[in-house]
Amino acid sequence: MSSSPKVSIVVPVFNERQNLPKLHERLTATLDGTGKSWEIVYTDDGSKDGSIDLLKQFHAARPAEVRVIEFERNAGQHMAIMAAFERARGDVVVTIDADLQNPPEEIPKLLALADQGHDVVGSIRKNRQDVGWRVWASRAMNWVRERITGIRMTDQGCMLRAYSQLVVRQIVATGEQSTFIPALGQHFAANPAEVEVDHAARHAGESKYSLYKLVRLNFDLMTGFSVVPLQLFTIVGMLVTLGSLALVAIILGRRILIGSEADGVFTLFAFLYFLAGVMIMGIGLLGEYVGRIYQEVRKRPRFQIRAVHEKLDT
Ligand code: UDP
Ligand code: MG
């Protein structure tokens, strides 16, 4: 008998004590209802609110199905998922947030599409329950990302997604330091699909994402999946050079025909400030890429696992 379950559910957990009991109850009820064999892999991402104690209880209650990875310290949502991906054994691996924004009851929808042969099943939040600016910001970022990286996802922020074991293996094999799992999944997908799912407001607690973290995430998306920003910069540089050349020709002609000019000093400043801005931006952009290369070559461990609570000899 093969001991691998059909379905693995992967849940990153960071200070979600208030949400965990409800989540676990609804998850197990849904999974038992599917009639498939399953496992849940929770990663406790360095929670400080005692989430790990609850997770250990879940494991104790169903040791064969519930596995818990305990991080030494907070490594971020995507690293928490990555650690679980390294261990998930299911033919289909589903990621879901712990805050009950994605209803666990929607999982069978994803599994149905996976059964039809889709190796990545993304999801679109039907009536997104997030604060206004986040909805708009993520829509704008979606638009930019699609154009720059060519990765098509209607709703990049929805983490309720299903991946085939093969895609999961490919994602794990990248070994990248800072990454965005849905984009990687989409990148490796041969036959992706999307499905609409319900979205609820956070059940309890606060979002772990600040505006700064969201901006960082989107920089990572751009620079981690494309060199188009660098190429755009080269093009802008070329256009500015051509424009400047035209300006030189005009001023030279004017000097010969009309004579030298002393006015226009501030126009000159305006041009220079603008160009200085463009150059500083370019250096920053280069820095983004160099920084990524630096992170990768350092080869520091991406996360530190304190303990794994599991019982695999089923
Ligand atoms: N999370 C995590 N590590 C972190 C931040 C978040 O494991 O450093 C988990 C969190 O517990 C939740 C999921 O990632 O299960 C999504 O986080 P959150 O709900 O704060 O993000 P949002 O829904 O606001 O994008
Ligand atoms: Mg959330």
Side-chain angles (χ1 to χ4, degrees):
M1 197 192 96
S2 153
S3 62
S4 297
K6 271 256 161 286
V7 182
S8 298
I9 308 293
V10 162
V11 194
V13 175
F14 182 51
N15 295 340
E16 304 280 7
R17 204 169 60 121
Q18 295 160 288
N19 297 320
L20 283 176
K22 223 183 202 102
L23 170 83
H24 191 65
E25 186 195 311
R26 286 170 61 184
L27 259 181
T28 47
T30 307
L31 290 167
D32 284 335
T34 60
K36 297 178 194 268
S37 57
W38 55 266
E39 65 177 4
I40 305 178
V41 189
Y42 287 106
T43 305
D44 177 58
D45 187 13
S47 298
K48 298 245 186 303
D49 68 344
S51 292
I52 186 65
D53 300 327
L54 284 175
L55 295 177
K56 281 187 196 158
Q57 285 172 25
F58 298 161
H59 167 65
R62 297 185 78 157
E65 284 117 340
V66 179
R67 307 164 68 187
V68 180
I69 302 167
E70 196 180 339
F71 273 7
E72 192 68 41
R73 66 189 83 86
N74 183 258
Q77 179 186 3
H78 294 267
M79 287 305 118
I81 295 174
M82 201 61 96
F85 272 10
E86 286 180 355
R87 290 181 159 69
R89 298 167 301 166
D91 299 335
V92 181
V93 181
V94 177
T95 56
I96 187 168
D97 282 350
D99 58 1
L100 288 163
Q101 287 198 274
N102 318 126
E105 292 74 21
E106 300 279 24
I107 290 175
K109 270 196 207 168
L110 302 192
L111 296 180
L113 279 164
D115 282 345
Q116 287 169 26
H118 294 289
D119 55 355
V120 171
V121 184
S123 58
I124 306 163
R125 289 169 281 193
K126 232 184 287 178
N127 39 14
R128 187 166 167 191
Q129 301 290 317
D130 269 320
V131 278
W133 66 266
R134 274 197 66 171
V135 179
W136 285 105
S138 83
R139 236 175 249 171
M141 282 323 300
N142 238 11
W143 189 86
V144 176
R145 188 216 56 244
E146 207 169 292
R147 262 137 208 90
I148 289 186
T149 63
I151 293 172
R152 274 182 197 288
M153 277 184 289
T154 311
D155 191 356
Q156 67 171 38
C158 193
M159 292 301 290
L160 180 59
R161 284 164 187 274
Y163 307 88
S164 71
Q165 180 63 231
L166 180 67
V167 169
V168 167
R169 295 271 73 81
Q170 285 174 283
I171 292 176
V172 168
T174 59
E176 281 173 44
Q177 294 279 345
S178 63
T179 194
F180 190 67
I181 299 220
L184 271 183
Q186 211 62 25
H187 181 70
F188 291 125
N191 181 17
E194 285 186 317
V195 65
E196 280 208 329
V197 295
D198 253 326
H199 191 233
R202 218 171 203 290
H203 176 249
E206 283 201 331
S207 170
K208 273 79 194 171
Y209 278 95
S210 59
L211 177 60
Y212 172 73
K213 265 173 133 183
L214 282 174
V215 170
R216 282 286 350 144
L217 178 84
N218 281 294
F219 273 157
D220 281 349
L221 257 176
M222 301 298 168
T223 55
F225 289 86
S226 163
V227 288
V228 168
L230 284 178
Q231 293 161 346
L232 283 180
F233 223 84
T234 312
I235 293 171
V236 168
M238 277 156 63
L239 292 179
V240 169
T241 307
L242 281 179
S244 311
L245 203 64
L247 198 64
V248 167
I250 291 169
I251 292 177
L252 203 65
R254 194 194 133 95
R255 199 181 170 123
I256 292 168
L257 296 178
I258 307 174
S260 68
E261 39 152 89
D263 290 339
V265 175
F266 289 101
T267 321
L268 179 68
F269 270 108
F271 271 111
L272 282 181
Y273 281 146
F274 172 71
L275 287 183
V278 173
M279 282 192 286
I280 292 170
M281 212 167 78
I283 294 170
L285 183 67
L286 268 178
E288 287 287 327
Y289 284 94
V290 174
R292 284 186 78 84
I293 298 169
Y294 179 50
Q295 264 185 351
E296 295 299 336
V297 296
R298 259 190 331 213
K299 288 255 168 291
R300 292 206 180 140
R302 298 186 287 175
F303 42 78
Q304 205 72 50
I305 294 174
R306 177 182 296 161
V308 180
H309 311 274
E310 62 186 4
K311 186 165 168 294
L312 293 183
D313 48 352
T314 48

